[in-house]
Amino acid sequence: RNRFSLPTPSRPQKFNTLTKGCNLVESLLPPDAPSHLRALTSNLFNASIAKSTARTYATAAKHISNLEAELGRTFSWPLSPADSNLLLAFLLNKGVKPNTVRMYLSGARRIALSKGTDPPTESQFAKCLLRGYENLKRNPVKEAVEANHRPVTIPLLRLLGHSASKHWKGQEEDKLCFWTVCLAAFWGSLRLGEVLCTDKSSFAPGSALLGTDVINMTGTSFALWIRDPKVPKRFGDIVEIWSTPQFPDLDPFSAFSTYWASREKHPLSLPVFLMANGRNMTHRCFESTFHSLLSYYAMQLELSINRWTGHSFRSGLPTLLQSLGFSEEEIKAWGRWASSVFQLYARGVSKRFEVQRTIL
């Protein structure tokens, strides 16, 4: 009998399953619609957005209720242009950030859909109000710090490894798991949400990265089958990660091989990355550990003005590849980007480099 409390299969974790402020009106279906078809319609409507989006929309519904209470009247749906502008001003007056206001207004449009009405798109007047608020509140330095995250570089990766070796307070198996995720995410340009679970005690068998998804282990590489990538594909994505003999201290194949051997005591039907207690290494746990290890060097890294997140691992190689002169198509293929969105991470390094070389 396994002595660990192992994670158990659950429903898909990615999409919403709860109503959260958007109850469908009965008139969306004919009066004689069977109850089981009404329930199915509600479930399908709920699952059309992600859980995180549903939580945001639920908060929007609370703000709308608060405004109705303050006004002493109930809104009609869809919101009239005047009421929509009033809601926008109400949110901005509360100090809600413009991007969050846009999400809340999107939530109001979804409430309108749930009530059987066709909501209007964002008006030009609303865009003017948001732009005016941004102009008055603009703090370029603060915005630059909050809006961007620095890419993980090879020197930073080495510092992180040093910090883990010196300051790790947990079990060695957990450190090995964390470090393996770091190296795999950096060299494979992985999205952490594709390889780590959101819950430590459960997982979605249809979308989580399982032990059975380690499809290839050669003498110098391993491959992961990402069955549920962020950009849905019919057959998912295959990500092969090779050994890096030029950087033996940062070799993802060596780290994964060691971790994989230690994981043999757990079934392949469980997620790939497990802690010493048999629970899942979660996205939140990884982020918390990452920030904790960097905090030991807060002064050297100037963490007051620099920010790294779990997504910084994915943005590391595109920046490096651009500086080495790789083409846009090569970088897109490496990181599995369908568009040129990787430019948001790389910041046009190669273009600036070409300009500088032309000047010289």
Side-chain angles (χ1 to χ4, degrees):
R1 183 179 297 274
N2 198 314
R3 63 186 179 87
F4 297 104
S5 177
L6 298 176
T8 57
S10 67
R11 295 173 63 93
Q13 301 168 322
K14 189 174 183 178
F15 299 107
N16 177 47
T17 56
L18 302 176
T19 302
K20 291 187 178 295
C22 293
N23 295 296
L24 296 184
V25 295
E26 292 188 0
S27 59
L28 282 168
L29 294 178
D32 58 349
S35 59
H36 69 281
L37 293 183
R38 288 189 180 278
L40 174 62
T41 302
S42 178
N43 289 338
L44 294 177
F45 181 74
N46 293 337
S48 65
I49 58 175
K51 278 187 176 181
S52 57
T53 304
R55 288 193 292 267
T56 301
Y57 288 174
T59 304
K62 291 180 181 178
H63 281 298
I64 292 171
S65 295
N66 292 338
L67 178 55
E68 288 178 326
E70 185 175 317
L71 296 173
R73 66 180 174 89
T74 302
F75 290 132
S76 59
W77 295 91
L79 292 178
S80 67
D83 281 342
S84 181
N85 294 334
L86 180 63
L87 174 61
L88 190 155
F90 174 77
L91 294 170
L92 292 177
N93 185 61
K94 288 180 134 334
V96 179
K97 294 182 179 180
N99 283 339
T100 306
V101 169
R102 292 184 179 94
M103 285 290 293
Y104 288 167
L105 293 179
S106 180
R109 290 191 287 271
R110 183 171 173 84
I111 293 174
L113 284 175
S114 72
K115 295 182 180 298
T117 60
D118 192 17
T121 58
E122 185 180 26
S123 69
Q124 289 298 319
F125 184 71
K127 292 179 181 179
C128 287
L129 295 183
L130 289 168
R131 176 60 61 86
Y133 184 88
E134 290 172 335
N135 290 341
L136 291 176
K137 296 291 185 178
R138 188 165 182 246
N139 183 334
V141 175
K142 183 180 179 182
E143 288 177 4
V145 172
E146 291 181 348
N148 299 303
H149 57 255
R150 300 287 303 276
V152 168
T153 60
I154 287 176
L156 183 74
L157 203 55
R158 284 199 167 114
L159 178 64
L160 184 63
H162 169 76
S163 184
S165 298
K166 185 176 181 180
H167 302 291
W168 192 269
K169 293 183 173 62
Q171 298 193 47
E172 286 297 309
E173 285 184 61
D174 293 343
K175 182 173 74 172
L176 175 60
C177 180
F178 170 79
W179 184 235
T180 302
V181 174
C182 288
L183 295 181
F186 177 78
W187 292 109
S189 289
L190 296 171
R191 302 178 181 93
L192 292 181
E194 294 175 340
V195 297
L196 297 179
C197 297
T198 58
D199 188 271
K200 63 182 180 181
S201 59
S202 65
F203 64 96
S207 58
L209 181 71
L210 307 180
T212 51
D213 298 329
V214 180
I215 60 173
N216 183 39
M217 284 281 284
T218 70
T220 57
S221 70
F222 64 96
L224 304 175
W225 179 24
I226 310 296
R227 288 176 290 132
D228 187 25
K230 180 181 178 182
V231 180
K233 297 178 182 177
R234 184 179 180 187
F235 299 109
D237 278 328
I238 303 296
V239 179
E240 188 166 7
I241 301 175
W242 292 269
S243 176
T244 57
Q246 301 89 340
F247 304 98
D249 56 326
L250 305 176
D251 188 347
F253 176 73
S254 176
F256 189 85
S257 298
T258 303
Y259 168 74
W260 194 241
S262 71
R263 191 199 175 284
E264 285 185 347
K265 57 181 175 287
H266 300 304
L268 292 177
S269 57
L270 295 179
V272 169
F273 295 108
L274 301 173
M275 308 285 281
N277 60 7
R279 297 297 182 94
N280 300 322
M281 164 71 78
T282 65
H283 196 160
R284 179 179 295 181
C285 175
F286 180 90
E287 287 265 7
S288 175
T289 304
F290 178 48
H291 291 145
S292 175
L293 292 175
L294 290 184
S295 69
Y296 289 101
Y297 304 95
M299 184 178 297
Q300 295 89 333
L301 295 173
E302 296 185 285
L303 292 183
S304 60
I305 60 173
N306 291 315
R307 189 168 71 102
W308 284 270
T309 70
H311 207 62
S312 296
F313 288 88
R314 179 161 170 77
S315 62
L317 269 183
T319 305
L320 177 61
L321 293 175
Q322 269 209 345
S323 67
L324 294 175
F326 284 83
S327 71
E328 179 174 320
E329 290 303 315
E330 288 172 323
I331 298 173
K332 285 166 63 176
W334 178 270
R336 299 174 291 128
W337 282 284
S339 66
S340 297
V341 70
F342 76 89
Q343 296 281 4
L344 295 175
Y345 307 134
R347 314 297 178 193
V349 172
S350 63
K351 293 181 180 179
R352 294 195 297 273
F353 179 70
E354 287 298 325
V355 171
Q356 189 253 11
R357 186 165 61 181
T358 302
I359 292 173
L360 294 180

